Amino acid sequence: MELYGYYRSTSSYRVRIVLALKGLAYEAVPVNLLKGEQKDAAYLSVNPQARVPALLDQAQEAIIQSPAIIEYLEERYPETPLLPKDLFERAKIRGMAALIACDVHPLHNISVLNYLRQNYQCKEGDITAWINEWISQGLAAVEQLIGESGYCFGEISMADAYLIPQIYAARRFNVPLDAYPKILRVETLANAHPAFIAAHPKNQADSPD
């Protein structure tokens, strides 16, 4: 497998977590978003949307969009399941994942922030307030949805693969987290887990750290 990604892209990060949790080997192919490598012809032939991540697994055509990649990995490699058997519980986990992937993460994506800067002349203080508002709204909802012990829903699940990168983004943008004790509990557990450690941005080959 080949995973095209960027070390601090939260969508790439969540796919790395799933790969690590499932014990799947892959070759990381860095795409430097700050240098605009996502718009190079070579990468556009992989993903015409010019976004990361993209996954190649025994096929010439890449799978794009992290939710599709994660669902593919769950179905293709079911030996370490990240969704429970119960349909209602599966839906709860997918709902929380969608909350992050659809309603929170896109609003602090670098392309959105740059659009605000370039087309609406937003100052950095306005950008910071924008990021804080949407991440805080999302995490406040997550705090109400997850359980009282263990990971998001007890055992490690797909939900944790979405939440941990969002926490990383919140810390990167200095979003206060003290109001979310259950989320912080999950973060503490993940910080000690080998798969989450291996997937962390600071441990990627393209990380400047």
Side-chain angles (χ1 to χ4, degrees), residues 102-110 112-113 116 130-131 134-135:
C102 301
D103 294 340
V104 182
H105 164 243
L107 292 173
H108 62 75
N109 187 288
I110 188 171
V112 171
L113 302 183
L116 292 174
W130 169 279
I131 294 169
W134 299 117
I135 291 182

Side-chain angles (χ1 to χ4, degrees), residues 4 31 33 36-52 54 56 60-62 64:
Y4 292 80
V31 179
L33 303 184
E37 291 178 357
Q38 70 275 24
K39 297 180 181 179
D40 290 349
Y43 186 65
L44 289 174
S45 69
V46 175
N47 183 359
Q49 193 188 13
R51 298 285 178 91
V52 292
L56 270 69
Q60 297 299 315
E61 185 177 353
I64 65 169

Side-chain angles (χ1 to χ4, degrees), residues 21-22 73-75 77-85 90 155-158:
L21 288 170
K22 289 182 173 289
L73 293 171
E74 179 71 1
E75 294 174 359
Y77 304 98
E79 295 79 10
T80 305
L82 296 177
L83 287 172
K85 292 183 179 180
R90 292 164 74 94
E155 299 296 324
I156 292 177
S157 73
M158 194 180 289

